């Protein structure tokens, strides 16, 4: 016998039995609800003085029977029914109201947030006779506050609703409106949300960056919303009403995804995805997703997969509900995607296996590295915030063609090149993965090995995108990560890049310190002072006037 959901405590066993038997009722597909079923719902509901509800699928079968209290019912998890874009859930909710009252706010939010086919409330007389029907469904394309169509009460005695035809008409309209919106239907459409107590300017810069991250992940950003709160709600981040409102808005905009700028802890992601039938991810997952798409080398792929699994592990819930919403598409893409649905134990096993394999790969790389070190070449590492122009600098310096792109995290796998200074001194120069504020700790751990390589650097070129209005915050984030990795002791040159986009006066102010140099990484002509400076680090006594650099 299928489980009855909700509050059955205090009921007589014969009543519970009758409630369980509701599962046997079949409604003809065209009908909204069979007469026998509505009669039994009414009779039982009046007897136990609680609302009773059923979720009916399109075939007329009952998917869930729910017992509520006199005022309302709580729907069980319905994530096994998925509503694809432009479609409804495939389940309708029909439940009883003990008084003659219309659909409540909760009924309507369930309708909208779960994308139910429709919702109906049958009022029941004190004798248990079904009296009236209040019904509503989603009304696609309606602008304004509420995307529902609410019908006037109808008489249960002569109900003539063709449920299937109605649902089909709504879906036709839904797919028509979303087809109008979708330029490329395969790209996800996201609403970005930031709930924060930090100052407006900071919140705005952060969400701008989140937009860039989304762009890097080929997600279309429909809108972004900043909600400032003195105190961030521990459960939903924002208030319950607000999150419902936003979700309805997201639905009206044809979005398929909500991205939070803040990291959601396991219980938050659970309460939020329990509440709304939307794919929800956070900043960390978005970054992990980009990394998963970009990783090229064996080591990089393993590291990202490890980071994804470690992030997922505490977020795997008993019924897998949050996970099932997260898997597939964004957030569950890349090397880890097939593993998201599996249980904790298997995830842990997998983590162990990857860690072992990764150790092997790293050991192998270290051996190669040691061989190189034996040759005693100094190492210069190019570091800095993502998109600062690190790879561009490496390319121009060494005439190579490492991928550069106006996207965050273009580089994931470090590449090394040789660089020859004019005095024939040779060095190894390496490009690294970019830094970002709030670098997910799972990634920090995963990329530890790569970042550890930085310890061996003899010189760091800290590349800064001087044209970014937020460059000072970027400098701070990079410094914070450097000190966390204990790398501040390594000599550093601050390289202010993209000077072609900064006015000369500001540029002069920026680079007034002794170890600060302005460049335009795309333009070889501008690099001479930097090269001179680098060379002088290795040959402090040497001749430091070089007419022009020569590269190999
Ligand atoms: N205007 C201007 N753009 C530049 C300059 N240097 C780099 N860029 C552009 O900045 C973007 C990012 O450059 P990348 O070299 O990929 O940056 P990166 O630091 O390696 O970025 P990640 O690998 O993503 O962390 C590219 O579109 C470059 O063409 C410059 O001196 N001036
Ligand atoms: Mg790069």
């Amino acid at each position: 016998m299928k489980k009855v959901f909700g509050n059955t405590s205090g009921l007589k066993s014969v009543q519970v039995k009758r409630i369980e038997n509701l599962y046997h009722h079949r409604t003809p597909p065209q009908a909204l609800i069979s007469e026998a079923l509505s009669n039994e719902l009414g009779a039982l509901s009046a007897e136990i003085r609680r609302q009773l509800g059923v979720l009916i699928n399109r075939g007329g079968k009952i998917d869930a029977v729910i017992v509520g209290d006199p005022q309302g019912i709580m729907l069980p998890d319905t994530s096994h029914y998925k509503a694809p874009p432009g479609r409804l859930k495939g389940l309708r909710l029909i439940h009883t109201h003990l008084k003659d009252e219309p659909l409540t706010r909760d009924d309507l939010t369930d309708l909208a947030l779960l994308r139910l086919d429709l919702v109906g409330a049958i009022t029941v007389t004190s004798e248990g006779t079904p009296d009236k029907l209040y019904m509503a469904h989603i009304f696609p394309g309606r602008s304004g506050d509420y995307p529902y169509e609410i019908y006037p009460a109808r008489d249960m005695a002569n109900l003539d609703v063709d449920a299937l035809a109605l649902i089909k008409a709504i879906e036709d309209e839904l797919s028509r409106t979303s087809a109008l919106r979708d330029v490329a239907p395969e790209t996800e459409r996201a609403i970005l949300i930031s709930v924060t107590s930090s100052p407006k300017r900071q919140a705005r810069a952060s969400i701008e960056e989140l937009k860039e991250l989304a762009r890097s992940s080929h997600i279309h950003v429909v809108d972004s919303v900043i909600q400032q709160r003195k105190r961030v709600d521990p459960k939903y981040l924002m208030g319950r009403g607000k999150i419902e409102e936003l979700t309805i808005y997201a639905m009206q905009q044809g979005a398929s995804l909500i991205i939070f700028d803040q990291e959601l802890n396991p219980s938050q992601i659970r309460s939020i995805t329990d509440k709304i039938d939307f794919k929800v991810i956070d900043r960390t997952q978005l970054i992990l997703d980009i990394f998963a798409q970009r990783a090229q080398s064996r080591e990089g792929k393993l590291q990202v997969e490890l980071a994804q699994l470690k992030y997922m592990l505490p977020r795997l819930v008993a019924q897998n509900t949050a996970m099932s919403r997260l898997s597939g598409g964004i957030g569950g893409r890349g090397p880890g995607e097939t593993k998201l649905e599996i249980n904790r134990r298997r995830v842990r096993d997998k983590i162990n296996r990857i860690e072992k394999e990764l150790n092997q790969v790293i050991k192998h790389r270290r051996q190669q590295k040691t061989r190189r070190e034996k040759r005693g070449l100094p190492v210069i590492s190019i570091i800095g915030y993502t998109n600062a122009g690190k790879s561009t600098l490496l390319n121009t310096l060494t005439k190579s063609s490492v991928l550069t792109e106006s996207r965050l995290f273009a580089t994931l796998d470090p590449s090394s090149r040789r660089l020859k200074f004019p005095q024939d001194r040779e060095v190894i120069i390496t490009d690294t993965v970019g830094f970002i504020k709030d670098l997910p700790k799972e990634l920090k751990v995963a990329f530890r090995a790569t970042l550890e390589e930085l310890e061996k650097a003899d010189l760091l070129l800290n590349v800064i995108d001087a044209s970014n209005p937020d460059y000072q915050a970027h400098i701070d984030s990079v410094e914070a990560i450097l000190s966390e990795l204990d790398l501040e002791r390594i000599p550093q040159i601050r390289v202010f890049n993209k000077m072609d986009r900064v006015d000369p006066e500001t540029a002069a102010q920026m680079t007034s310190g002794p170890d600060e140099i302005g460049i335009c990484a795309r333009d070889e002509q501008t690099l001479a002072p930097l090269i001179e400076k680098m060379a002088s680090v290795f040959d402090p006594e040497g001749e430091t006037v070089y007419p022009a650099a020569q590269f190999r």
Side-chain angles (χ1 to χ4, degrees):
M1 178 52 69
K2 279 187 80 177
K3 174 177 167 221
V4 170
F5 296 91
N7 174 26
T8 50
S9 64
L11 298 184
K12 295 193 191 120
S13 61
V14 43
Q15 290 169 331
V16 174
K17 190 84 217 145
R18 272 176 71 197
I19 296 172
E20 283 172 354
N21 280 338
L22 289 171
Y23 275 111
H24 295 312
H25 280 265
R26 268 307 264 280
T27 289
Q30 312 287 332
L32 186 71
I33 183 169
S34 77
E35 204 179 322
L37 178 55
S38 66
N39 286 340
E40 182 66 357
L41 278 178
L44 265 168
S45 193
E47 185 179 325
I48 63 174
R49 306 297 309 150
R50 294 177 201 181
Q51 292 192 4
L52 270 178
V54 285
L55 289 171
I56 305 177
N57 71 18
R58 302 242 175 117
K61 269 200 189 153
I62 294 182
D63 184 69
V65 173
I66 314 124
V67 184
D69 58 30
Q71 285 79 38
I73 56 173
M74 281 269 289
L75 294 193
D77 173 40
T78 52
S79 52
H80 52 292
Y81 272 77
K82 284 218 188 359
R87 304 288 296 275
L88 297 168
K89 185 97 176 160
L91 287 176
R92 77 190 77 131
L93 167 68
I94 309 290
H95 68 302
T96 56
H97 275 181
L98 296 178
K99 288 187 301 226
D100 182 1
E101 59 179 355
L103 291 165
T104 62
R105 192 189 132 86
D106 279 351
D107 292 335
L108 293 171
T109 36
D110 281 343
L111 170 72
L113 300 189
L114 299 177
R115 296 172 80 96
L116 295 173
D117 287 357
L118 42 85
V119 58
I122 298 173
T123 66
V124 175
T125 64
S126 49
E127 293 82 48
T129 317
D131 184 20
K132 287 182 201 147
L133 171 77
Y134 289 95
M135 188 177 82
H137 59 70
I138 289 175
F139 190 86
R142 164 178 289 190
S143 51
D145 289 345
Y146 297 104
Y148 336 112
E149 172 83 14
I150 303 176
Y151 290 80
R154 291 164 194 237
D155 217 345
M156 277 304 284
N158 43 33
L159 197 62
D160 59 339
V161 179
D162 183 342
L164 274 193
L166 179 60
I167 293 164
K168 182 167 181 316
I170 305 166
E171 286 199 330
D172 285 350
E173 185 63 21
L174 262 180
S175 54
R176 204 179 60 83
T177 45
S178 57
L180 284 179
R181 284 198 193 104
D182 280 344
V183 206
E186 69 280 7
T187 37
E188 294 221 52
R189 297 167 56 89
I191 303 257
L192 311 184
I193 301 180
S194 168
V195 188
T196 176
S197 52
S198 48
K200 255 235 152 69
R201 212 198 75 80
Q202 211 177 318
R204 234 182 262 134
S206 181
I207 213 154
E208 282 306 314
E209 187 174 87
L210 191 68
K211 264 186 215 166
E212 283 302 309
L213 286 167
R215 209 171 61 82
S216 283
S217 195
H218 307 284
I219 294 170
H220 179 78
V221 175
V222 180
D223 201 356
S224 59
V225 181
I226 297 176
Q227 215 211 358
Q228 269 176 312
R229 285 174 74 97
K230 280 209 191 69
R231 214 178 63 87
V232 170
D233 182 79
K235 200 163 177 196
Y236 300 115
L237 270 77
M238 63 191 89
R240 209 187 104 153
K242 188 75 192 172
I243 195 161
E244 288 174 358
E245 202 179 291
L246 272 171
T247 316
I248 290 171
Y249 175 67
M251 198 180 67
Q252 287 172 326
Q253 298 301 312
S256 51
L257 176 67
I258 293 180
I259 308 177
F260 278 89
D261 196 23
Q262 285 73 29
E263 182 166 315
L264 302 173
N265 67 33
S267 76
Q268 285 164 339
I269 195 131
R270 215 166 305 163
S271 11
I272 294 174
T273 50
D274 273 354
K275 180 120 209 79
I276 60 180
D277 195 29
F278 245 89
K279 208 165 6 163
V280 174
I281 66 166
D282 62 13
R283 185 187 182 91
T284 304
Q285 262 179 301
L286 184 57
I287 295 176
L288 286 171
D289 192 76
I290 297 171
F291 276 60
Q293 290 176 57
R294 301 263 160 143
Q296 295 290 329
S297 68
R298 182 85 199 119
E299 183 175 344
K301 285 184 178 154
L302 287 170
Q303 281 168 331
V304 176
E305 182 169 8
L306 191 61
Q308 283 184 316
L309 290 170
K310 285 191 168 165
Y311 186 79
M312 294 305 174
L313 188 57
R315 287 164 176 83
L316 281 173
V317 273
Q319 318 90 319
N320 254 340
T321 56
M323 291 325 301
S324 59
R325 279 189 194 127
L326 295 174
S327 59
I330 171 91
R333 178 150 51 190
E337 75 187 319
T338 55
K339 288 96 195 173
L340 300 184
E341 217 79 66
I342 55 185
N343 61 31
R344 281 170 201 251
R345 203 190 140 67
R346 283 174 60 198
V347 172
R348 266 193 223 105
D349 288 351
K350 180 94 197 166
I351 288 178
N352 287 338
R353 249 181 298 139
I354 294 178
E355 275 174 343
K356 281 205 193 96
E357 192 178 340
L358 198 51
N359 282 338
Q360 288 301 317
V361 178
I362 292 170
K363 213 159 111 192
H364 181 71
R365 182 168 49 76
R366 288 219 173 111
Q367 281 162 356
Q368 286 185 321
K369 180 94 185 170
T370 324
R371 255 177 261 138
R372 190 160 69 208
E373 270 162 12
K374 288 219 177 85
R375 290 204 299 267
L377 295 183
V379 175
I380 301 177
S381 287
I382 307 179
I383 57 147
Y385 212 77
T386 180
N387 208 41
K390 302 177 292 299
S391 304
T392 309
L393 178 59
L394 179 83
N395 285 344
T396 313
L397 278 173
T398 64
K399 303 215 189 309
S400 24
S401 51
V402 168
L403 168 84
T404 66
E405 224 182 325
S406 173
R407 289 196 182 275
L408 304 191
F409 299 116
T411 307
L412 268 199
D413 297 302
S415 19
S416 296
R417 294 285 182 279
R418 281 173 184 228
L419 170 65
K420 201 166 180 181
F421 287 128
Q423 279 193 325
D424 269 358
R425 179 181 268 286
E426 242 188 332
V427 296
I428 303 280
I429 185 156
T430 44
D431 183 16
T432 52
V433 51
F435 295 170
I436 193 161
K437 86 174 170 79
D438 307 328
L439 186 71
K441 71 171 186 307
E442 289 77 11
L443 274 180
K444 259 187 239 169
V445 174
F447 278 82
R448 180 127 239 147
T450 316
L451 295 172
E452 268 170 12
E453 295 286 303
L454 291 174
E455 279 173 20
K456 305 205 185 96
D458 301 285
L459 173 66
L460 298 179
L461 299 186
N462 180 355
V463 181
I464 297 149
D465 177 355
S467 72
N468 190 309
D470 225 31
Y471 80 94
Q472 190 55 52
H474 292 180
I475 294 179
D476 297 344
S477 303
V478 170
E479 291 298 340
I481 296 168
L482 288 180
S483 90
E484 210 176 300
L485 293 167
D486 208 17
L487 297 171
E488 324 104 299
R489 55 192 170 74
I490 300 177
Q492 192 191 110
I493 302 175
R494 279 196 180 174
V495 184
F496 288 84
N497 186 30
K498 310 196 190 178
M499 282 307 205
D500 52 307
R501 292 167 62 185
V502 179
D503 70 83
E505 207 174 299
T506 322
Q509 278 171 5
M510 274 181 188
T511 54
S512 53
D515 294 318
E516 297 175 333
I517 284 181
I519 61 160
C520 172
R522 283 179 184 167
D523 176 5
E524 197 186 323
Q525 304 297 320
T526 67
L527 300 184
L530 174 63
I531 292 161
E532 195 171 308
K533 184 105 203 159
M534 290 193 283
S536 75
V537 172
F538 298 107
D539 288 304
E541 309 298 324
E543 183 68 52
T544 54
V545 194
Y546 303 115
Q550 285 158 26
F551 308 106
R552 201 174 87 172

